[in-house]
Amino acid sequence: MQQNATYSTLEEIQQRRDQLSEAIEQEGEQIADQWHSLFKKDEDTSKGEYIVSIINNGIMAVDAFLLVRKLMRNYGSLFGLFQKKDKKKRKR
């Protein structure tokens, strides 16, 4: 890549502009390919992997339920998390 190049004619400027636009277009295509590969879904998942993902999702759902239940039991509601609690009423 040329930096601090001196151009004496409009044709040289036009050639450089064309070179830069081609380079930008190629880099844009590379970025688009990488971006699409990030969100590409694996089609080759086996039955075992499918079952493992279902079990993992189930465990996360149960864990989230237990966390919400614990917070509601300790604070009365989810919105009670952000309120100050009196020390006299707190049970240990």
Side-chain angles (χ1 to χ4, degrees):
M1 197 179 258
Q2 297 176 357
Q3 291 186 8
N4 299 330
T6 309
Y7 304 104
S8 57
T9 63
L10 289 175
E11 289 80 21
E12 292 175 351
I13 295 172
Q14 182 66 33
Q15 286 177 341
R16 181 65 180 148
R17 184 177 147 232
D18 291 341
Q19 289 173 350
L20 290 174
S21 65
E22 287 176 13
I24 289 171
E25 186 176 327
Q26 289 175 353
E27 289 177 4
E29 290 173 0
Q30 289 175 349
I31 290 171
D33 290 341
Q34 290 178 353
W35 182 258
H36 292 301
S37 71
L38 286 175
F39 298 104
K40 184 179 176 184
K41 185 177 179 180
D42 288 336
E43 299 294 333
D44 300 333
T45 56
S46 67
K47 271 284 204 217
E49 291 173 346
Y50 179 71
I51 291 171
V52 167
S53 70
I54 289 175
I55 291 171
N56 283 338
N57 289 339
I59 290 172
M60 285 191 306
V62 169
D63 189 40
F65 172 75
L66 292 175
L67 175 66
V68 169
R69 184 172 168 236
K70 180 179 179 181
L71 291 174
M72 290 184 72
R73 180 181 290 169
N74 288 340
Y75 295 102
S77 72
L78 292 178
F79 299 111
L81 290 172
F82 306 107
Q83 297 173 355
K84 288 187 177 182
K85 196 134 176 142
D86 292 336
K87 290 183 179 181
K88 295 178 184 177
K89 293 182 180 180
R90 189 173 179 185
K91 293 181 182 178
R92 285 199 172 207

